Amino acid sequence: MSPKKPDADVPPSLLLVDKAPGMTSHDVVARARRVLSVRKVGHAGTLDPMATGLLVLGVGAATRLLGHLSGSDKTYEATIRLGQTTVTDDREGDVTATASAAAVTEDAVRAALAGQVGPLQQVPSSVSAVKVDGRRSYDRVRAGEEFELAARSVTVHRIDVHGVRRPTPELVDVDVTVSCSTGTYIRAIARDVGTVLGVGGHLTALRRTSSGPFATTDARPVEDAAGALAGPGSGPGVLGLTDAARAVFPARELTAEEAVALGYGQRVPATGAPGLHAAVAPDGRLVALVEDAGSVARVAVGFPPG
């Protein structure tokens, strides 16, 4: 195994990964670390092993962007199966109840899904990474503990129905696209739609197609994206630090004097617009993420040279 390189030897970047099924988000990070031979790699927005699609990785100083990316809206393609309930609310869990969906009409399915659009108080799946008294809820389920998760505020912007199929006379499969806020559980939507219809429901397929400004159309398998960064340092699936920040935040073009001042943690004249801005030096280097504080802009996240 090759020795670990200093993280500074690999340019700070975002990797847009198209996650394969069966991998945890941690598995993806581990593979990127192995290909790049660096330590500092993280991810934004966990995907379950069953799920595929976009997982954004940060390498080196780009990991400082990940906390801001996690809060972005997401889009998913999913298949909901009505007529069966599982312990995990997806196909990976044991079936705990069945009820014939033979009498469920397409109109009823669409109406139930429409009821899941808008601001919601959603109870996450019990087999999830949500912490209860400091422990992951899935660990408590595996230990046989009984507990209730608190509902959380989420927003589902839209649910588009692409098809309603009957794989058997007793089951209904529904193909949907869901656009939602961060923290929304698509398998909880499947569970709750099944509950409304009185037949139970779970998720059989899930693919994240976008997160904020990034989409699977620009993503690659983790080995390919990491390999591109390890080689020429650019290519499909790789965004350098400044390009990544510009994709997420409005740009604040700095003068040379302002770039030096921010590098020392000093304040510069206000940007004049709310929210974080990517402060970019005249040479194209990302200096900081800045936000206004009255008449001045202050450093929220700094990116020292090198």
Side-chain angles (χ1 to χ4, degrees), residues 188-274:
I189 292 176
R191 175 201 65 205
D192 294 344
V193 166
T195 299
V196 168
L197 294 170
V199 296
H202 69 281
L203 212 60
T204 62
L206 181 66
R207 179 171 176 77
R208 183 156 66 202
T209 56
S210 73
S211 177
F214 307 121
T216 49
T217 51
D218 300 315
R220 306 171 69 185
V222 60
E223 291 85 358
D224 293 349
L229 179 58
S234 63
V238 178
L239 279 172
L241 185 60
T242 301
D243 288 341
R246 284 182 183 273
V248 179
F249 307 102
R252 162 76 183 266
E253 304 297 339
L254 302 172
T255 66
E257 293 76 15
E258 289 173 338
V260 171
L262 287 177
Y264 285 110
Q266 298 170 1
R267 302 189 175 197
V268 297
T271 297

Side-chain angles (χ1 to χ4, degrees), residues 46-51 76 78-81 86-93 116 122-130 137-138 149 178 184-195 201-206:
T46 301
L47 280 177
D48 292 333
M50 183 192 84
Y76 298 89
T79 299
I80 297 169
R81 173 157 291 177
T86 73
V87 68
T88 57
D89 300 327
D90 63 25
R91 72 164 191 256
E92 296 196 321
Q116 295 295 308
Q122 186 186 69
V123 178
S125 170
S126 60
V127 183
S128 68
V130 175
S137 59
Y138 53 65
L149 290 175
V178 181
T184 304
Y185 280 85
I186 311 303
R187 50 192 165 125
I189 292 176
R191 175 201 65 205
D192 294 344
V193 166
T195 299
H202 69 281
L203 212 60
T204 62
L206 181 66

Side-chain angles (χ1 to χ4, degrees), residues 17-40:
V17 171
D18 191 341
K19 188 184 88 66
M23 300 175 66
T24 66
S25 298
H26 180 73
D27 292 337
V28 176
V29 168
R31 291 196 186 188
R33 285 175 177 156
R34 187 161 57 248
V35 172
L36 295 169
S37 296
V38 299
R39 297 173 295 274
K40 197 170 183 180

